[in-house]
Amino acid sequence: MTVSPKAKGWIRAAVDYGAPLSFMVAFLITRDAVTASWALVGGAGVALLVGYVAERRIAPMPLIAGVAALIFGGMTLIFHDERFIKIKPTVLNLGFAAFLLGGVATRRNPLKALLGETLRMPDEAWRTLTLRYGIFFLCAAVLNEAVWRTQSTYVWAWFRFPGLQILAILFSLTQAPLMMKHAKAADEEAPAIPPPPTE
């Protein structure tokens, strides 16, 4: 199945945001987080299926987020307890933070392993970027805990989507100067040899 670059962009957006958008729409209609979790579970399942059918693969982070939506959404429905869906962003962001910060602590570059094919930078720049993203995910987890424990479900739902996504986009924009600076330096240092062909 051949998919155009523009269609791939829409498919990736659907995989990334399909589940939380489905939950938010259902919550605004029902005003019930447990009932809206049906939409979260269904949206996550459909998004993962569409992504796999279109590209025959799903990137690691959307896959983890989709599986987490299925697990925590399912637990919310089974136990009729909205706390499960509220702690999902906390657990997910803590997991991402542990993965990235653990990589920095062990002198590895997990972010480079995920994005190295699309962005060339020196290892030191990758470590800096990994540390910053690890701290961001840790802060996002703490912030989610603060919001759902002190605010109404309605406020938390808006914070969950699109609030967290907006924060992630703004944070990524603040990292653009670092990436542009070191990506340029890496290009200048690289030998003038074309990269080997990839399958």
Side-chain angles (χ1 to χ4, degrees), residues 121-171:
M121 295 195 303
D123 284 347
E124 192 58 41
W126 277 114
R127 280 191 287 274
T128 300
L129 192 63
T130 301
L131 178 63
R132 291 179 182 181
Y133 267 97
I135 293 172
F136 169 78
F137 284 125
L138 186 61
C139 291
V142 172
L143 186 57
N144 182 68
E145 283 295 295
V147 172
W148 85 259
R149 290 178 183 275
T150 63
Q151 304 298 315
S152 67
T153 300
Y154 183 79
V155 171
W156 172 82
W158 279 107
F159 164 77
R160 171 66 189 88
F161 187 86
L164 276 175
Q165 284 69 28
I166 293 172
L167 288 176
I169 290 170
L170 291 175
F171 175 77

Coordinates of all heavy atoms in Angstrom, one line a residue, residues 121-171:
M121 N 23.5 14.8 15.0 CA 24.1 15.7 15.9 C 25.3 15.0 16.7 O 25.2 13.7 16.7 CB 23.1 16.2 17.0 CG 22.0 17.1 16.4 SD 21.1 17.9 17.8 CE 20.6 16.6 18.8
P122 N 26.2 15.7 17.2 CA 27.3 15.1 18.1 C 26.6 14.4 19.3 O 25.6 14.8 19.8 CB 28.2 16.2 18.5 CG 27.9 17.3 17.5 CD 26.4 17.1 17.1
D123 N 27.3 13.4 19.8 CA 26.8 12.7 21.0 C 26.5 13.6 22.2 O 25.5 13.4 22.9 CB 27.7 11.5 21.4 CG 27.7 10.4 20.4 OD1 26.7 10.3 19.6 OD2 28.6 9.5 20.5
E124 N 27.4 14.6 22.4 CA 27.2 15.5 23.5 C 25.9 16.2 23.4 O 25.2 16.5 24.4 CB 28.4 16.4 23.7 CG 28.4 17.2 25.0 CD 28.4 16.3 26.2 OE1 29.1 15.2 26.2 OE2 27.7 16.6 27.2
A125 N 25.6 16.7 22.2 CA 24.3 17.4 22.0 C 23.1 16.5 22.2 O 22.1 16.9 22.8 CB 24.3 18.0 20.6
W126 N 23.2 15.2 21.8 CA 22.2 14.3 22.0 C 22.0 14.1 23.5 O 20.8 13.9 24.0 CB 22.5 12.9 21.4 CG 22.1 12.9 19.9 CD1 23.0 12.7 18.9 CD2 20.8 12.9 19.4 NE1 22.3 12.7 17.7 CE2 20.9 12.8 18.0 CE3 19.5 13.0 19.9 CZ2 19.8 12.8 17.1 CZ3 18.4 13.0 19.1 CH2 18.6 12.9 17.7
R127 N 23.1 14.0 24.3 CA 22.9 13.8 25.7 C 22.2 15.0 26.4 O 21.4 14.8 27.3 CB 24.3 13.6 26.4 CG 24.8 12.1 26.2 CD 26.0 11.9 27.1 NE 27.2 12.5 26.6 CZ 28.0 12.0 25.7 NH1 27.7 10.8 25.2 NH2 29.1 12.6 25.2
T128 N 22.6 16.2 25.9 CA 21.9 17.4 26.5 C 20.4 17.4 26.1 O 19.6 17.7 27.0 CB 22.6 18.7 25.9 OG1 24.0 18.7 26.2 CG2 21.9 19.9 26.4
L129 N 20.1 17.1 24.9 CA 18.7 17.0 24.5 C 17.9 15.9 25.2 O 16.8 16.2 25.7 CB 18.6 16.8 23.0 CG 17.2 17.0 22.3 CD1 16.8 18.5 22.5 CD2 17.3 16.6 20.9
T130 N 18.6 14.8 25.4 CA 17.9 13.7 26.2 C 17.7 14.1 27.6 O 16.6 13.8 28.2 CB 18.8 12.5 26.1 OG1 19.0 12.1 24.8 CG2 18.2 11.3 26.9
L131 N 18.6 14.8 28.2 CA 18.5 15.2 29.6 C 17.3 16.2 29.7 O 16.5 16.1 30.6 CB 19.8 15.9 30.1 CG 19.7 16.4 31.5 CD1 19.5 15.4 32.6 CD2 21.0 17.2 31.8
R132 N 17.2 17.1 28.8 CA 16.2 18.1 28.8 C 14.8 17.5 28.7 O 13.8 17.8 29.4 CB 16.4 19.2 27.8 CG 17.6 20.1 28.0 CD 17.8 21.1 26.9 NE 19.0 21.9 27.2 CZ 19.3 22.9 26.3 NH1 18.6 23.2 25.2 NH2 20.4 23.6 26.6
Y133 N 14.7 16.6 27.7 CA 13.4 15.9 27.5 C 13.1 15.0 28.7 O 11.9 14.9 29.1 CB 13.4 15.1 26.2 CG 12.9 15.9 25.0 CD1 13.8 16.5 24.1 CD2 11.5 16.0 24.8 CE1 13.3 17.2 23.1 CE2 11.0 16.7 23.7 CZ 11.9 17.4 22.9 OH 11.4 18.1 21.8
G134 N 14.0 14.4 29.3 CA 13.8 13.6 30.5 C 13.2 14.4 31.6 O 12.2 14.0 32.2
I135 N 13.8 15.6 31.8 CA 13.3 16.5 32.8 C 11.9 17.0 32.5 O 11.0 17.1 33.3 CB 14.3 17.7 33.0 CG1 15.6 17.2 33.6 CG2 13.7 18.8 33.9 CD1 16.7 18.2 33.7
F136 N 11.7 17.3 31.2 CA 10.3 17.7 30.8 C 9.3 16.7 31.1 O 8.2 17.0 31.6 CB 10.3 18.1 29.3 CG 8.9 18.3 28.7 CD1 8.2 19.4 28.9 CD2 8.3 17.2 28.0 CE1 6.9 19.6 28.5 CE2 7.0 17.4 27.6 CZ 6.3 18.6 27.8
F137 N 9.5 15.4 30.7 CA 8.6 14.4 31.0 C 8.3 14.2 32.5 O 7.2 14.0 32.9 CB 9.0 13.0 30.4 CG 8.8 13.0 28.9 CD1 9.9 12.7 28.1 CD2 7.6 13.2 28.3 CE1 9.8 12.6 26.7 CE2 7.4 13.1 27.0 CZ 8.5 12.8 26.1
L138 N 9.4 14.4 33.3 CA 9.2 14.3 34.8 C 8.3 15.4 35.3 O 7.4 15.2 36.1 CB 10.6 14.4 35.4 CG 10.7 14.2 36.9 CD1 10.2 12.8 37.3 CD2 12.1 14.3 37.4
C139 N 8.6 16.6 34.8 CA 7.7 17.8 35.2 C 6.3 17.6 34.7 O 5.3 17.9 35.4 CB 8.3 19.0 34.6 SG 9.9 19.5 35.3
A140 N 6.1 17.0 33.5 CA 4.7 16.7 33.0 C 4.0 15.8 33.9 O 2.8 15.9 34.2 CB 4.8 16.2 31.6
A141 N 4.7 14.8 34.4 CA 4.1 13.8 35.3 C 3.7 14.4 36.6 O 2.6 14.2 37.1 CB 5.1 12.6 35.6
V142 N 4.6 15.3 37.2 CA 4.3 16.0 38.5 C 3.1 16.9 38.3 O 2.2 17.0 39.1 CB 5.5 16.7 39.0 CG1 5.2 17.6 40.2 CG2 6.6 15.7 39.3
L143 N 3.1 17.6 37.1 CA 2.0 18.6 36.9 C 0.7 17.9 36.7 O -0.3 18.4 37.2 CB 2.4 19.4 35.6 CG 1.4 20.5 35.2 CD1 1.3 21.5 36.4 CD2 1.9 21.2 33.9
N144 N 0.7 16.7 36.0 CA -0.6 16.0 35.9 C -1.1 15.5 37.3 O -2.3 15.6 37.5 CB -0.4 14.7 35.0 CG -1.6 13.9 34.8 OD1 -2.6 14.4 34.2 ND2 -1.7 12.8 35.4
E145 N -0.2 15.1 38.2 CA -0.6 14.7 39.5 C -1.2 15.9 40.2 O -2.3 15.8 40.9 CB 0.5 14.1 40.3 CG 0.9 12.7 39.9 CD -0.2 11.8 40.3 OE1 -0.5 11.6 41.5 OE2 -0.7 11.2 39.3
A146 N -0.6 17.1 40.1 CA -1.1 18.2 40.8 C -2.5 18.6 40.3 O -3.4 19.0 41.1 CB -0.1 19.4 40.6
V147 N -2.7 18.6 39.0 CA -3.9 19.0 38.4 C -5.1 18.1 38.7 O -6.1 18.5 39.2 CB -3.8 19.1 36.8 CG1 -5.2 19.4 36.2 CG2 -2.9 20.3 36.5
W148 N -4.9 16.7 38.5 CA -6.0 15.9 38.8 C -6.4 15.7 40.2 O -7.5 15.4 40.6 CB -5.8 14.5 38.1 CG -5.1 13.4 38.9 CD1 -3.8 13.1 38.7 CD2 -5.6 12.5 39.9 NE1 -3.4 12.0 39.5 CE2 -4.5 11.7 40.2 CE3 -6.8 12.4 40.5 CZ2 -4.6 10.7 41.2 CZ3 -6.9 11.4 41.5 CH2 -5.8 10.5 41.8
R149 N -5.4 16.0 41.1 CA -5.7 15.8 42.6 C -6.3 17.1 43.2 O -6.9 17.1 44.2 CB -4.4 15.5 43.3 CG -3.9 14.1 43.0 CD -2.6 13.7 43.8 NE -2.1 12.4 43.5 CZ -2.5 11.3 44.1 NH1 -3.4 11.4 45.0 NH2 -2.0 10.1 43.7
T150 N -6.2 18.2 42.5 CA -6.6 19.5 43.1 C -7.7 20.1 42.2 O -8.4 21.1 42.8 CB -5.5 20.5 43.2 OG1 -5.0 20.8 41.9 CG2 -4.4 19.9 44.0
Q151 N -8.0 19.7 41.0 CA -8.9 20.3 40.1 C -10.1 19.4 39.8 O -10.0 18.2 40.0 CB -8.3 20.8 38.9 CG -7.1 21.8 39.1 CD -7.5 23.0 39.8 OE1 -8.5 23.7 39.5 NE2 -6.7 23.4 40.8
S152 N -11.1 19.9 39.2 CA -12.3 19.1 38.8 C -11.9 18.2 37.6 O -10.9 18.5 36.9 CB -13.4 20.0 38.4 OG -13.1 20.7 37.2
T153 N -12.7 17.2 37.3 CA -12.4 16.3 36.2 C -12.5 17.1 34.9 O -11.8 16.9 33.9 CB -13.4 15.2 36.2 OG1 -13.3 14.4 37.4 CG2 -13.2 14.3 35.0
Y154 N -13.4 18.1 34.9 CA -13.6 19.0 33.7 C -12.3 19.7 33.4 O -11.8 19.8 32.2 CB -14.7 19.9 33.9 CG -15.0 20.8 32.7 CD1 -15.7 20.3 31.6 CD2 -14.6 22.1 32.7 CE1 -16.0 21.1 30.5 CE2 -14.8 23.0 31.6 CZ -15.5 22.4 30.5 OH -15.8 23.2 29.4
V155 N -11.7 20.3 34.4 CA -10.4 21.1 34.3 C -9.3 20.1 33.9 O -8.5 20.4 32.9 CB -10.0 21.8 35.5 CG1 -8.6 22.4 35.4 CG2 -11.1 22.9 35.8
W156 N -9.3 18.9 34.5 CA -8.2 18.0 34.2 C -8.3 17.5 32.7 O -7.3 17.4 32.0 CB -8.3 16.8 35.1 CG -7.3 15.7 34.6 CD1 -6.0 15.6 34.9 CD2 -7.7 14.6 33.8 NE1 -5.5 14.5 34.2 CE2 -6.5 13.9 33.6 CE3 -8.9 14.1 33.2 CZ2 -6.4 12.7 32.8 CZ3 -8.8 13.0 32.4 CH2 -7.6 12.3 32.2
A157 N -9.5 17.3 32.2 CA -9.7 16.8 30.9 C -9.1 17.8 29.9 O -8.5 17.4 28.9 CB -11.2 16.6 30.6
W158 N -9.4 19.1 30.1 CA -8.8 20.1 29.2 C -7.3 20.2 29.3 O -6.6 20.4 28.3 CB -9.4 21.5 29.5 CG -10.8 21.7 28.8 CD1 -12.0 21.7 29.5 CD2 -11.0 21.9 27.5 NE1 -13.0 21.9 28.5 CE2 -12.4 22.0 27.3 CE3 -10.2 22.0 26.3 CZ2 -13.0 22.2 26.1 CZ3 -10.8 22.2 25.1 CH2 -12.2 22.3 25.0
F159 N -6.8 20.0 30.5 CA -5.3 20.0 30.7 C -4.7 18.8 30.0 O -3.7 18.9 29.3 CB -5.0 19.9 32.2 CG -3.6 19.5 32.5 CD1 -2.6 20.4 32.4 CD2 -3.3 18.2 32.9 CE1 -1.2 20.0 32.6 CE2 -2.0 17.8 33.1 CZ -1.0 18.7 33.0
R160 N -5.4 17.6 30.1 CA -4.9 16.4 29.4 C -4.9 16.6 27.9 O -3.9 16.2 27.3 CB -5.8 15.2 29.8 CG -5.6 13.9 29.0 CD -4.2 13.4 29.4 NE -3.8 12.3 28.5 CZ -3.2 12.4 27.3 NH1 -2.9 13.6 26.9 NH2 -2.9 11.4 26.6
F161 N -5.9 17.1 27.3 CA -6.0 17.4 25.9 C -6.8 18.6 25.6 O -8.0 18.6 26.0 CB -6.5 16.2 25.1 CG -6.4 16.3 23.6 CD1 -5.2 16.0 23.0 CD2 -7.4 16.8 22.9 CE1 -5.1 16.1 21.6 CE2 -7.3 17.0 21.5 CZ -6.1 16.6 20.9
P162 N -6.3 19.7 25.1 CA -5.0 19.7 24.4 C -3.8 20.3 25.3 O -2.7 20.5 24.7 CB -5.2 20.7 23.2 CG -6.2 21.6 23.8 CD -7.1 20.9 24.7
G163 N -4.0 20.5 26.6 CA -3.1 21.2 27.4 C -1.7 20.6 27.4 O -0.7 21.3 27.1
L164 N -1.6 19.3 27.6 CA -0.3 18.6 27.6 C 0.4 18.7 26.3 O 1.6 18.8 26.2 CB -0.4 17.2 28.1 CG -0.4 17.0 29.6 CD1 -0.6 15.5 30.0 CD2 0.9 17.5 30.3
Q165 N -0.4 18.5 25.2 CA 0.2 18.6 23.9 C 0.7 19.9 23.5 O 1.8 20.1 22.9 CB -0.9 18.2 22.8 CG -1.2 16.7 22.8 CD -1.9 16.2 24.0 OE1 -2.6 16.9 24.7 NE2 -1.7 14.9 24.3
I166 N 0.0 21.0 24.0 CA 0.5 22.3 23.7 C 1.8 22.6 24.5 O 2.8 23.1 23.9 CB -0.6 23.4 24.2 CG1 -1.8 23.3 23.2 CG2 0.0 24.8 24.2 CD1 -3.0 24.1 23.6
L167 N 1.9 22.1 25.7 CA 3.1 22.2 26.5 C 4.3 21.5 25.8 O 5.4 22.0 25.8 CB 2.9 21.7 27.9 CG 2.1 22.5 28.9 CD1 1.9 21.8 30.2 CD2 2.7 23.9 29.1
A168 N 4.0 20.3 25.3 CA 5.0 19.6 24.6 C 5.5 20.3 23.4 O 6.7 20.3 23.1 CB 4.5 18.2 24.3
I169 N 4.6 20.9 22.6 CA 5.0 21.6 21.4 C 5.8 22.8 21.7 O 6.9 23.1 21.1 CB 3.7 22.0 20.6 CG1 3.1 20.7 20.0 CG2 4.1 23.0 19.5 CD1 1.7 21.0 19.4
L170 N 5.4 23.5 22.7 CA 6.1 24.7 23.2 C 7.5 24.4 23.7 O 8.5 25.0 23.3 CB 5.4 25.5 24.3 CG 4.1 26.2 23.8 CD1 3.3 26.8 25.0 CD2 4.3 27.2 22.8
F171 N 7.6 23.3 24.4 CA 8.9 22.9 24.9 C 9.8 22.5 23.7 O 11.0 22.8 23.7 CB 8.8 21.7 25.9 CG 10.1 21.1 26.3 CD1 10.9 21.8 27.2 CD2 10.6 19.9 25.7 CE1 12.1 21.2 27.6 CE2 11.8 19.4 26.1 CZ 12.6 20.1 27.0

